[in-house]
Amino acid sequence: MTDLLQRIGGVLIAPRAMLGELSPETGRRDGALLLAAYLLAVAVLPIGDTLADFWALRSLTAAPGLLRALLPALPWLLTAAALDWLLGAGRAHRIALCLVPLLVIDAGAHLLTDLGVSLPSPSYAASVLGALAALLLAARVRGAIPITPAASTELSSGTASPAPPAPVPGDMPLKTASGQRRLAQTLGGLILALVAVRGFTDINRLVARWPTLAPVAVGAALPEFAVPLLDGGTLRSADLLARPHLLIFWTTWCGVCKAEMPMYRALADRYAARGLQVIAVNADREGEVAELVRDYRVAHGLPFPIALDDRSMVRRFRVEMFPHLVLIDATGQIRHVHQGRSFERNLAAEIEAVLP
């Protein structure tokens, strides 16, 4: 552990000396460990959101949320790809250590935000700054990194570039500079402490928010609501009892909603005689909503009732993307939830299961 701390801190205080004295075989797991540290520092909440979706929906309909979980890792992956090009194949084993500035700057920016410090926009500015710092560090230390044995074999056959120069004279090797070595270990420990503070802060938030992170889960009771209907009257949660219902949360600007409306219309026609009631819940927020919805209904031939949600239903059902489908049985229990695109065959099978 102390060796890892020394490498993490040493790459910031004496990078050429530290990397120059490391053998290519040292620190083979640095990449995996530092990526895990980065995700702990910046990605706990997005990953938790996605896990909550899978837990609530209990199906692959939560798959669109995977993108949200992967986005925080994008700066790390893109910077690693740029470093791979900059360092070359013979020195690519040191990409992870060259990424330490990105870890420090991104984790530090998140911690400052936690403390209420207002940072310059855009939100990804810290990631960009960290990536640039990593690239500058790699450019500075490239010549000091010992190349791998495989690359050394290529050198002996005359197919690779000349060997890298030795570290700059005057750079004190950490092995012989005990004070510098202790400083590197201390700095490495502080960096990992920063990561731990950030990670556990977000874990605590995740635990506190877990019950409300995901959409209302399969098996849950119907939330209470009351919203106006496009043609007059009010839709209340009590109105959805005694027969199965399919709620379709949608907007007029949603491309997937538009593409799937014919499928919803077909399902409504097919199962109306067997007691299924389809209700479209519009969640538009801008413009003359009622007029927009009426025009949309005429253009797409929607035969089912339309509710005009004032965002109260969206909040109660915790809708995050459109379309969002909720299949409710005759007892008012939520049986299936879908986010994004759906397949008619799957929906039909689920509807069949709740019909008498």
Side-chain angles (χ1 to χ4, degrees):
M1 184 64 179
T2 56
D3 288 343
L4 173 63
L5 297 180
Q6 183 174 311
R7 290 195 296 275
I8 293 174
V11 79
L12 296 181
I13 63 174
R16 289 180 61 85
M18 192 272 294
L19 290 172
E21 72 183 24
L22 290 179
S23 69
E25 292 76 23
T26 303
R28 290 182 178 275
R29 297 181 181 178
D30 287 354
L33 293 173
L34 289 174
L35 175 57
Y38 184 77
L39 294 177
L40 179 63
V42 305
V44 168
L45 290 180
I47 292 174
D49 283 345
T50 301
L51 292 177
D53 282 355
F54 276 101
W55 178 261
L57 305 185
R58 301 176 192 177
S59 72
L60 291 178
T61 58
L66 286 174
L67 179 61
R68 177 180 57 205
L70 294 175
L71 278 178
L74 194 59
W76 186 274
L77 299 176
L78 291 177
T79 308
L83 290 174
D84 183 69
W85 170 82
L86 179 62
L87 295 177
R91 304 176 182 87
H93 57 293
R94 293 301 171 220
I95 287 174
L97 290 177
C98 290
L99 281 164
V100 168
L102 174 60
L103 170 64
V104 173
I105 292 174
D106 241 350
H110 279 75
L111 182 60
L112 290 174
T113 302
D114 292 341
L115 297 174
V117 178
S118 180
L119 298 178
S121 57
S123 59
Y124 53 82
S127 298
V128 173
L129 181 61
L132 290 175
L135 291 169
L136 289 173
L137 174 64
R140 178 169 181 259
V141 302
R142 183 179 185 276
I145 299 174
I147 60 176
T148 59
S152 298
T153 302
E154 290 184 0
L155 284 173
S156 63
S157 64
T159 60
S161 58
V168 173
D171 274 358
M172 180 69 73
L174 294 182
K175 287 181 179 177
T176 59
S178 58
Q180 199 174 53
R181 184 172 63 251
R182 286 193 296 271
L183 177 60
Q185 292 171 355
T186 301
L187 181 57
L190 290 175
I191 291 171
L192 291 190
L194 167 64
V195 169
V197 169
R198 274 260 61 247
F200 286 114
T201 298
D202 279 352
I203 288 172
N204 287 333
R205 289 173 178 166
L206 184 63
V207 171
R209 292 170 47 188
W210 182 265
T212 61
L213 275 180
V216 173
V218 173
L222 194 64
E224 294 288 332
F225 61 85
V227 294
L229 291 163
L230 180 63
D231 295 323
T234 302
L235 176 69
R236 294 180 172 83
S237 50
D239 298 332
L240 304 188
L241 301 178
R243 62 186 294 191
H245 284 78
L246 177 64
L247 299 182
I248 303 168
F249 290 85
W250 65 288
T251 65
T252 58
W253 46 261
C254 168
V256 177
C257 303
K258 179 179 178 180
E260 297 203 339
M261 279 300 173
M263 178 180 69
Y264 306 147
R265 187 173 61 242
L267 291 171
D269 293 340
R270 185 188 313 173
Y271 293 110
R274 297 179 57 186
L276 178 71
Q277 174 71 70
V278 177
I279 299 176
V281 182
N282 177 265
D284 277 57
R285 301 184 67 179
E286 298 180 357
E288 297 293 332
V289 174
E291 183 178 345
L292 288 171
V293 173
R294 286 192 183 94
D295 292 343
Y296 192 98
R297 178 174 63 179
V298 171
H300 297 279
L302 305 185
F304 29 74
I306 299 177
L308 300 177
D309 183 24
D310 58 0
R311 308 299 286 186
S312 62
M313 285 188 71
V314 164
R315 287 193 297 271
R316 285 173 172 79
F317 282 86
R318 301 197 289 273
V319 176
E320 297 178 350
M321 65 176 65
F322 302 101
H324 182 103
L325 309 183
V326 181
L327 181 62
I328 305 162
D329 66 17
T331 68
Q333 187 177 68
I334 295 173
R335 296 288 294 274
H336 294 280
V337 179
H338 293 272
Q339 293 184 126
R341 291 190 178 274
S342 305
F343 296 99
E344 185 171 356
R345 180 177 60 184
N346 294 343
L347 286 174
E350 293 167 359
I351 292 169
E352 291 277 359
V354 302
L355 291 176

